[in-house]
Amino acid sequence: MDGSPVGWGLLSSAPSMRASLPVAAGCRTSRREERPALSVVLPCFNEEANVEQAVREAAEAARRVAAAFEIVVVDDGSRDGTVERVRALQSRMPEVVLVRHGRNRGYGAALRSGFRAARYPWVFYTDGDAQFDARQLASVAGLIGGGRVVAGYRCPRNDGSARTLLGRGWTWVANRSLGLSVRDVNCAFKVFPKALLDAVPMRSRGAAIDAELLAEAARRGLRIEEVPVAHRPRRAGRSTGARPGVVLRALWELLWLSWRIRRDA
Ligand SMILES: Nc1nc2c(ncn2[C@@H]2O[C@H](COP(=O)(O)OP(=O)(O)O)[C@@H](O)[C@H]2O)c(=O)[nH]1
Ligand SMILES: [Mg+2]
């Protein structure tokens, strides 16, 4: 594992923005040389019923794959008992860090706060609603390192057919407008080098953040390793990812992002 903060030409631009093909199952764990130090970022908005499970699974995953780890829970202005649940976890788990927004600022803003707080050279993020089982990280740990980003794709997505269709449409639009070819742009199961997250001028505050991060990674020549991940139905609480305001904001941010990337090119 290369822990260098500015290794792999992160600060240089590469002409190609094409993502790699999905890796074959047998390749996934073969490249691991050293255990990475890992910050796990979990954005949460009104997740009192799910956050404990998300943190426990993340801790289990990190204990298996990381030399050192922390779990950064970002509370995005929840009005339920999310913060109290996290505080209760902190009394038993010193690795848990709580970052709070005084008001709800959006998914992208929550991730950005988590990235800023992260202390380790690799950042794994997934949702605080436990729709992804973080323990799947163990099967892709061999890909963490070097000039690589790990990007999951939901296989299958478990949000119902209307949501799945909307997600496919979003992936198509994001790929077309940013010159990417990623299977599931908004899949919240990704690992990035912290050096990249520190280097890119992240601007999205809403759901376009995934597209922005992938585009910046590709532009800097990082390889995007796509891996299938299982996805569970939301067990409790409410999804806000398909609200009209969230979708419109994401489209607006994507339009702006695509203009900016073309301008910079
Ligand atoms: N949609 C949304 N999710 C947020 C926000 N802030 C944090 N989150 C968290 O981001 C994750 C994804 O949100 P969710 O509503 O489940 O979206 P979905 O999985 O696409 O339906 C969850 O863990 C939320 O708690 C926000 O402002 N909007
Ligand atoms: Mg969800």
mmCIF file with all atom_site columns, all heavy atoms in Angstrom, residues 38-58:
data_model
loop_
_atom_site.group_PDB
_atom_site.id
_atom_site.type_symbol
_atom_site.label_atom_id
_atom_site.label_alt_id
_atom_site.label_comp_id
_atom_site.label_asym_id
_atom_site.label_entity_id
_atom_site.label_seq_id
_atom_site.pdbx_PDB_ins_code
_atom_site.Cartn_x
_atom_site.Cartn_y
_atom_site.Cartn_z
_atom_site.occupancy
_atom_site.B_iso_or_equiv
_atom_site.pdbx_formal_charge
_atom_site.auth_seq_id
_atom_site.auth_comp_id
_atom_site.auth_asym_id
_atom_site.auth_atom_id
_atom_site.pdbx_PDB_model_num
ATOM 1   N N   . LEU A 1 38 ? -7.390  3.417  7.781  1.00 0.00 ? 38 LEU A N   1
ATOM 2   C CA  . LEU A 1 38 ? -8.648  3.728  7.107  1.00 0.00 ? 38 LEU A CA  1
ATOM 3   C C   . LEU A 1 38 ? -9.579  4.612  7.945  1.00 0.00 ? 38 LEU A C   1
ATOM 4   O O   . LEU A 1 38 ? -9.806  4.347  9.126  1.00 0.00 ? 38 LEU A O   1
ATOM 5   C CB  . LEU A 1 38 ? -9.348  2.387  6.861  1.00 0.00 ? 38 LEU A CB  1
ATOM 6   C CG  . LEU A 1 38 ? -10.535 2.314  5.932  1.00 0.00 ? 38 LEU A CG  1
ATOM 7   C CD1 . LEU A 1 38 ? -10.085 2.506  4.483  1.00 0.00 ? 38 LEU A CD1 1
ATOM 8   C CD2 . LEU A 1 38 ? -11.221 0.943  6.068  1.00 0.00 ? 38 LEU A CD2 1
ATOM 9   N N   . SER A 1 39 ? -10.114 5.633  7.301  1.00 0.00 ? 39 SER A N   1
ATOM 10  C CA  . SER A 1 39 ? -11.212 6.383  7.918  1.00 0.00 ? 39 SER A CA  1
ATOM 11  C C   . SER A 1 39 ? -12.495 5.945  7.227  1.00 0.00 ? 39 SER A C   1
ATOM 12  O O   . SER A 1 39 ? -12.581 5.970  6.000  1.00 0.00 ? 39 SER A O   1
ATOM 13  C CB  . SER A 1 39 ? -11.033 7.887  7.700  1.00 0.00 ? 39 SER A CB  1
ATOM 14  O OG  . SER A 1 39 ? -9.889  8.360  8.359  1.00 0.00 ? 39 SER A OG  1
ATOM 15  N N   . VAL A 1 40 ? -13.488 5.536  8.018  1.00 0.00 ? 40 VAL A N   1
ATOM 16  C CA  . VAL A 1 40 ? -14.786 5.175  7.446  1.00 0.00 ? 40 VAL A CA  1
ATOM 17  C C   . VAL A 1 40 ? -15.712 6.360  7.683  1.00 0.00 ? 40 VAL A C   1
ATOM 18  O O   . VAL A 1 40 ? -15.827 6.839  8.814  1.00 0.00 ? 40 VAL A O   1
ATOM 19  C CB  . VAL A 1 40 ? -15.375 3.924  8.132  1.00 0.00 ? 40 VAL A CB  1
ATOM 20  C CG1 . VAL A 1 40 ? -16.694 3.528  7.468  1.00 0.00 ? 40 VAL A CG1 1
ATOM 21  C CG2 . VAL A 1 40 ? -14.392 2.766  8.090  1.00 0.00 ? 40 VAL A CG2 1
ATOM 22  N N   . VAL A 1 41 ? -16.350 6.851  6.633  1.00 0.00 ? 41 VAL A N   1
ATOM 23  C CA  . VAL A 1 41 ? -17.241 8.008  6.764  1.00 0.00 ? 41 VAL A CA  1
ATOM 24  C C   . VAL A 1 41 ? -18.680 7.555  6.533  1.00 0.00 ? 41 VAL A C   1
ATOM 25  O O   . VAL A 1 41 ? -18.998 6.932  5.518  1.00 0.00 ? 41 VAL A O   1
ATOM 26  C CB  . VAL A 1 41 ? -16.839 9.122  5.767  1.00 0.00 ? 41 VAL A CB  1
ATOM 27  C CG1 . VAL A 1 41 ? -17.860 10.255 5.770  1.00 0.00 ? 41 VAL A CG1 1
ATOM 28  C CG2 . VAL A 1 41 ? -15.456 9.673  6.112  1.00 0.00 ? 41 VAL A CG2 1
ATOM 29  N N   . LEU A 1 42 ? -19.546 7.872  7.505  1.00 0.00 ? 42 LEU A N   1
ATOM 30  C CA  . LEU A 1 42 ? -20.953 7.465  7.430  1.00 0.00 ? 42 LEU A CA  1
ATOM 31  C C   . LEU A 1 42 ? -21.858 8.696  7.541  1.00 0.00 ? 42 LEU A C   1
ATOM 32  O O   . LEU A 1 42 ? -22.046 9.235  8.631  1.00 0.00 ? 42 LEU A O   1
ATOM 33  C CB  . LEU A 1 42 ? -21.298 6.515  8.590  1.00 0.00 ? 42 LEU A CB  1
ATOM 34  C CG  . LEU A 1 42 ? -20.513 5.208  8.714  1.00 0.00 ? 42 LEU A CG  1
ATOM 35  C CD1 . LEU A 1 42 ? -20.888 4.488  10.015 1.00 0.00 ? 42 LEU A CD1 1
ATOM 36  C CD2 . LEU A 1 42 ? -20.785 4.300  7.523  1.00 0.00 ? 42 LEU A CD2 1
ATOM 37  N N   . PRO A 1 43 ? -22.419 9.168  6.419  1.00 0.00 ? 43 PRO A N   1
ATOM 38  C CA  . PRO A 1 43 ? -23.351 10.296 6.511  1.00 0.00 ? 43 PRO A CA  1
ATOM 39  C C   . PRO A 1 43 ? -24.707 9.836  7.044  1.00 0.00 ? 43 PRO A C   1
ATOM 40  O O   . PRO A 1 43 ? -25.199 8.777  6.661  1.00 0.00 ? 43 PRO A O   1
ATOM 41  C CB  . PRO A 1 43 ? -23.472 10.774 5.052  1.00 0.00 ? 43 PRO A CB  1
ATOM 42  C CG  . PRO A 1 43 ? -23.181 9.574  4.233  1.00 0.00 ? 43 PRO A CG  1
ATOM 43  C CD  . PRO A 1 43 ? -22.234 8.702  5.031  1.00 0.00 ? 43 PRO A CD  1
ATOM 44  N N   . CYS A 1 44 ? -25.288 10.646 7.931  1.00 0.00 ? 44 CYS A N   1
ATOM 45  C CA  . CYS A 1 44 ? -26.566 10.264 8.555  1.00 0.00 ? 44 CYS A CA  1
ATOM 46  C C   . CYS A 1 44 ? -27.523 11.440 8.629  1.00 0.00 ? 44 CYS A C   1
ATOM 47  O O   . CYS A 1 44 ? -27.152 12.509 9.129  1.00 0.00 ? 44 CYS A O   1
ATOM 48  C CB  . CYS A 1 44 ? -26.331 9.801  9.994  1.00 0.00 ? 44 CYS A CB  1
ATOM 49  S SG  . CYS A 1 44 ? -25.521 8.223  10.114 1.00 0.00 ? 44 CYS A SG  1
ATOM 50  N N   . PHE A 1 45 ? -28.721 11.220 8.170  1.00 0.00 ? 45 PHE A N   1
ATOM 51  C CA  . PHE A 1 45 ? -29.778 12.211 8.352  1.00 0.00 ? 45 PHE A CA  1
ATOM 52  C C   . PHE A 1 45 ? -31.004 11.473 8.872  1.00 0.00 ? 45 PHE A C   1
ATOM 53  O O   . PHE A 1 45 ? -31.619 10.705 8.140  1.00 0.00 ? 45 PHE A O   1
ATOM 54  C CB  . PHE A 1 45 ? -30.057 12.922 7.018  1.00 0.00 ? 45 PHE A CB  1
ATOM 55  C CG  . PHE A 1 45 ? -31.169 13.940 7.088  1.00 0.00 ? 45 PHE A CG  1
ATOM 56  C CD1 . PHE A 1 45 ? -31.186 14.899 8.089  1.00 0.00 ? 45 PHE A CD1 1
ATOM 57  C CD2 . PHE A 1 45 ? -32.185 13.940 6.150  1.00 0.00 ? 45 PHE A CD2 1
ATOM 58  C CE1 . PHE A 1 45 ? -32.208 15.837 8.162  1.00 0.00 ? 45 PHE A CE1 1
ATOM 59  C CE2 . PHE A 1 45 ? -33.216 14.869 6.213  1.00 0.00 ? 45 PHE A CE2 1
ATOM 60  C CZ  . PHE A 1 45 ? -33.222 15.822 7.221  1.00 0.00 ? 45 PHE A CZ  1
ATOM 61  N N   . ASN A 1 46 ? -31.303 11.663 10.156 1.00 0.00 ? 46 ASN A N   1
ATOM 62  C CA  . ASN A 1 46 ? -32.420 10.977 10.802 1.00 0.00 ? 46 ASN A CA  1
ATOM 63  C C   . ASN A 1 46 ? -32.302 9.453  10.687 1.00 0.00 ? 46 ASN A C   1
ATOM 64  O O   . ASN A 1 46 ? -33.173 8.785  10.120 1.00 0.00 ? 46 ASN A O   1
ATOM 65  C CB  . ASN A 1 46 ? -33.762 11.444 10.209 1.00 0.00 ? 46 ASN A CB  1
ATOM 66  C CG  . ASN A 1 46 ? -34.028 12.912 10.503 1.00 0.00 ? 46 ASN A CG  1
ATOM 67  O OD1 . ASN A 1 46 ? -33.509 13.456 11.482 1.00 0.00 ? 46 ASN A OD1 1
ATOM 68  N ND2 . ASN A 1 46 ? -34.827 13.555 9.678  1.00 0.00 ? 46 ASN A ND2 1
ATOM 69  N N   . GLU A 1 47 ? -31.204 8.928  11.191 1.00 0.00 ? 47 GLU A N   1
ATOM 70  C CA  . GLU A 1 47 ? -30.952 7.484  11.093 1.00 0.00 ? 47 GLU A CA  1
ATOM 71  C C   . GLU A 1 47 ? -30.879 6.828  12.471 1.00 0.00 ? 47 GLU A C   1
ATOM 72  O O   . GLU A 1 47 ? -30.095 5.914  12.698 1.00 0.00 ? 47 GLU A O   1
ATOM 73  C CB  . GLU A 1 47 ? -29.653 7.203  10.315 1.00 0.00 ? 47 GLU A CB  1
ATOM 74  C CG  . GLU A 1 47 ? -29.596 7.726  8.900  1.00 0.00 ? 47 GLU A CG  1
ATOM 75  C CD  . GLU A 1 47 ? -30.562 7.019  7.935  1.00 0.00 ? 47 GLU A CD  1
ATOM 76  O OE1 . GLU A 1 47 ? -31.297 6.104  8.362  1.00 0.00 ? 47 GLU A OE1 1
ATOM 77  O OE2 . GLU A 1 47 ? -30.573 7.407  6.755  1.00 0.00 ? 47 GLU A OE2 1
ATOM 78  N N   . GLU A 1 48 ? -31.708 7.281  13.427 1.00 0.00 ? 48 GLU A N   1
ATOM 79  C CA  . GLU A 1 48 ? -31.599 6.730  14.791 1.00 0.00 ? 48 GLU A CA  1
ATOM 80  C C   . GLU A 1 48 ? -31.790 5.214  14.827 1.00 0.00 ? 48 GLU A C   1
ATOM 81  O O   . GLU A 1 48 ? -31.209 4.526  15.649 1.00 0.00 ? 48 GLU A O   1
ATOM 82  C CB  . GLU A 1 48 ? -32.593 7.414  15.741 1.00 0.00 ? 48 GLU A CB  1
ATOM 83  C CG  . GLU A 1 48 ? -34.038 7.156  15.385 1.00 0.00 ? 48 GLU A CG  1
ATOM 84  C CD  . GLU A 1 48 ? -35.028 7.778  16.354 1.00 0.00 ? 48 GLU A CD  1
ATOM 85  O OE1 . GLU A 1 48 ? -34.597 8.464  17.296 1.00 0.00 ? 48 GLU A OE1 1
ATOM 86  O OE2 . GLU A 1 48 ? -36.241 7.583  16.160 1.00 0.00 ? 48 GLU A OE2 1
ATOM 87  N N   . ALA A 1 49 ? -32.602 4.698  13.910 1.00 0.00 ? 49 ALA A N   1
ATOM 88  C CA  . ALA A 1 49 ? -32.870 3.250  13.947 1.00 0.00 ? 49 ALA A CA  1
ATOM 89  C C   . ALA A 1 49 ? -31.810 2.431  13.203 1.00 0.00 ? 49 ALA A C   1
ATOM 90  O O   . ALA A 1 49 ? -31.797 1.205  13.311 1.00 0.00 ? 49 ALA A O   1
ATOM 91  C CB  . ALA A 1 49 ? -34.248 2.982  13.325 1.00 0.00 ? 49 ALA A CB  1
ATOM 92  N N   . ASN A 1 50 ? -30.948 3.112  12.443 1.00 0.00 ? 50 ASN A N   1
ATOM 93  C CA  . ASN A 1 50 ? -29.999 2.367  11.603 1.00 0.00 ? 50 ASN A CA  1
ATOM 94  C C   . ASN A 1 50 ? -28.532 2.596  11.950 1.00 0.00 ? 50 ASN A C   1
ATOM 95  O O   . ASN A 1 50 ? -27.679 1.780  11.594 1.00 0.00 ? 50 ASN A O   1
ATOM 96  C CB  . ASN A 1 50 ? -30.189 2.775  10.128 1.00 0.00 ? 50 ASN A CB  1
ATOM 97  C CG  . ASN A 1 50 ? -31.586 2.485  9.620  1.00 0.00 ? 50 ASN A CG  1
ATOM 98  O OD1 . ASN A 1 50 ? -32.119 1.411  9.864  1.00 0.00 ? 50 ASN A OD1 1
ATOM 99  N ND2 . ASN A 1 50 ? -32.188 3.443  8.923  1.00 0.00 ? 50 ASN A ND2 1
ATOM 100 N N   . VAL A 1 51 ? -28.254 3.720  12.608 1.00 0.00 ? 51 VAL A N   1
ATOM 101 C CA  . VAL A 1 51 ? -26.847 4.118  12.733 1.00 0.00 ? 51 VAL A CA  1
ATOM 102 C C   . VAL A 1 51 ? -26.024 3.121  13.550 1.00 0.00 ? 51 VAL A C   1
ATOM 103 O O   . VAL A 1 51 ? -24.850 2.869  13.244 1.00 0.00 ? 51 VAL A O   1
ATOM 104 C CB  . VAL A 1 51 ? -26.726 5.560  13.284 1.00 0.00 ? 51 VAL A CB  1
ATOM 105 C CG1 . VAL A 1 51 ? -27.215 5.681  14.718 1.00 0.00 ? 51 VAL A CG1 1
ATOM 106 C CG2 . VAL A 1 51 ? -25.307 6.059  13.148 1.00 0.00 ? 51 VAL A CG2 1
ATOM 107 N N   . GLU A 1 52 ? -26.635 2.514  14.550 1.00 0.00 ? 52 GLU A N   1
ATOM 108 C CA  . GLU A 1 52 ? -25.877 1.577  15.377 1.00 0.00 ? 52 GLU A CA  1
ATOM 109 C C   . GLU A 1 52 ? -25.408 0.382  14.538 1.00 0.00 ? 52 GLU A C   1
ATOM 110 O O   . GLU A 1 52 ? -24.245 -0.019 14.597 1.00 0.00 ? 52 GLU A O   1
ATOM 111 C CB  . GLU A 1 52 ? -26.742 1.114  16.547 1.00 0.00 ? 52 GLU A CB  1
ATOM 112 C CG  . GLU A 1 52 ? -25.953 0.247  17.495 1.00 0.00 ? 52 GLU A CG  1
ATOM 113 C CD  . GLU A 1 52 ? -26.612 0.100  18.863 1.00 0.00 ? 52 GLU A CD  1
ATOM 114 O OE1 . GLU A 1 52 ? -27.501 0.908  19.200 1.00 0.00 ? 52 GLU A OE1 1
ATOM 115 O OE2 . GLU A 1 52 ? -26.240 -0.846 19.562 1.00 0.00 ? 52 GLU A OE2 1
ATOM 116 N N   . GLN A 1 53 ? -26.319 -0.154 13.741 1.00 0.00 ? 53 GLN A N   1
ATOM 117 C CA  . GLN A 1 53 ? -25.943 -1.275 12.875 1.00 0.00 ? 53 GLN A CA  1
ATOM 118 C C   . GLN A 1 53 ? -24.848 -0.851 11.882 1.00 0.00 ? 53 GLN A C   1
ATOM 119 O O   . GLN A 1 53 ? -23.874 -1.579 11.663 1.00 0.00 ? 53 GLN A O   1
ATOM 120 C CB  . GLN A 1 53 ? -27.177 -1.764 12.101 1.00 0.00 ? 53 GLN A CB  1
ATOM 121 C CG  . GLN A 1 53 ? -26.874 -2.956 11.205 1.00 0.00 ? 53 GLN A CG  1
ATOM 122 C CD  . GLN A 1 53 ? -28.063 -3.360 10.328 1.00 0.00 ? 53 GLN A CD  1
ATOM 123 O OE1 . GLN A 1 53 ? -29.150 -2.775 10.441 1.00 0.00 ? 53 GLN A OE1 1
ATOM 124 N NE2 . GLN A 1 53 ? -27.869 -4.328 9.474  1.00 0.00 ? 53 GLN A NE2 1
ATOM 125 N N   . ALA A 1 54 ? -25.015 0.339  11.305 1.00 0.00 ? 54 ALA A N   1
ATOM 126 C CA  . ALA A 1 54 ? -24.020 0.811  10.328 1.00 0.00 ? 54 ALA A CA  1
ATOM 127 C C   . ALA A 1 54 ? -22.640 0.933  10.972 1.00 0.00 ? 54 ALA A C   1
ATOM 128 O O   . ALA A 1 54 ? -21.632 0.513  10.392 1.00 0.00 ? 54 ALA A O   1
ATOM 129 C CB  . ALA A 1 54 ? -24.467 2.152  9.736  1.00 0.00 ? 54 ALA A CB  1
ATOM 130 N N   . VAL A 1 55 ? -22.604 1.482  12.187 1.00 0.00 ? 55 VAL A N   1
ATOM 131 C CA  . VAL A 1 55 ? -21.313 1.661  12.865 1.00 0.00 ? 55 VAL A CA  1
ATOM 132 C C   . VAL A 1 55 ? -20.706 0.306  13.237 1.00 0.00 ? 55 VAL A C   1
ATOM 133 O O   . VAL A 1 55 ? -19.511 0.060  13.032 1.00 0.00 ? 55 VAL A O   1
ATOM 134 C CB  . VAL A 1 55 ? -21.470 2.557  14.124 1.00 0.00 ? 55 VAL A CB  1
ATOM 135 C CG1 . VAL A 1 55 ? -20.208 2.525  14.981 1.00 0.00 ? 55 VAL A CG1 1
ATOM 136 C CG2 . VAL A 1 55 ? -21.804 3.985  13.714 1.00 0.00 ? 55 VAL A CG2 1
ATOM 137 N N   . ARG A 1 56 ? -21.524 -0.592 13.743 1.00 0.00 ? 56 ARG A N   1
ATOM 138 C CA  . ARG A 1 56 ? -20.996 -1.904 14.150 1.00 0.00 ? 56 ARG A CA  1
ATOM 139 C C   . ARG A 1 56 ? -20.437 -2.677 12.954 1.00 0.00 ? 56 ARG A C   1
ATOM 140 O O   . ARG A 1 56 ? -19.370 -3.292 13.045 1.00 0.00 ? 56 ARG A O   1
ATOM 141 C CB  . ARG A 1 56 ? -22.089 -2.729 14.830 1.00 0.00 ? 56 ARG A CB  1
ATOM 142 C CG  . ARG A 1 56 ? -22.414 -2.217 16.193 1.00 0.00 ? 56 ARG A CG  1
ATOM 143 C CD  . ARG A 1 56 ? -23.214 -3.201 17.032 1.00 0.00 ? 56 ARG A CD  1
ATOM 144 N NE  . ARG A 1 56 ? -23.548 -2.577 18.290 1.00 0.00 ? 56 ARG A NE  1
ATOM 145 C CZ  . ARG A 1 56 ? -22.674 -2.316 19.264 1.00 0.00 ? 56 ARG A CZ  1
ATOM 146 N NH1 . ARG A 1 56 ? -21.406 -2.670 19.098 1.00 0.00 ? 56 ARG A NH1 1
ATOM 147 N NH2 . ARG A 1 56 ? -23.048 -1.725 20.374 1.00 0.00 ? 56 ARG A NH2 1
ATOM 148 N N   . GLU A 1 57 ? -21.174 -2.646 11.860 1.00 0.00 ? 57 GLU A N   1
ATOM 149 C CA  . GLU A 1 57 ? -20.681 -3.365 10.667 1.00 0.00 ? 57 GLU A CA  1
ATOM 150 C C   . GLU A 1 57 ? -19.408 -2.705 10.134 1.00 0.00 ? 57 GLU A C   1
ATOM 151 O O   . GLU A 1 57 ? -18.482 -3.384 9.693  1.00 0.00 ? 57 GLU A O   1
ATOM 152 C CB  . GLU A 1 57 ? -21.778 -3.414 9.597  1.00 0.00 ? 57 GLU A CB  1
ATOM 153 C CG  . GLU A 1 57 ? -22.899 -4.365 10.001 1.00 0.00 ? 57 GLU A CG  1
ATOM 154 C CD  . GLU A 1 57 ? -24.067 -4.410 9.022  1.00 0.00 ? 57 GLU A CD  1
ATOM 155 O OE1 . GLU A 1 57 ? -24.103 -3.605 8.062  1.00 0.00 ? 57 GLU A OE1 1
ATOM 156 O OE2 . GLU A 1 57 ? -24.960 -5.253 9.219  1.00 0.00 ? 57 GLU A OE2 1
ATOM 157 N N   . ALA A 1 58 ? -19.387 -1.377 10.173 1.00 0.00 ? 58 ALA A N   1
ATOM 158 C CA  . ALA A 1 58 ? -18.187 -0.666 9.697  1.00 0.00 ? 58 ALA A CA  1
ATOM 159 C C   . ALA A 1 58 ? -16.989 -1.007 10.574 1.00 0.00 ? 58 ALA A C   1
ATOM 160 O O   . ALA A 1 58 ? -15.875 -1.222 10.073 1.00 0.00 ? 58 ALA A O   1
ATOM 161 C CB  . ALA A 1 58 ? -18.439 0.843  9.697  1.00 0.00 ? 58 ALA A CB  1
#
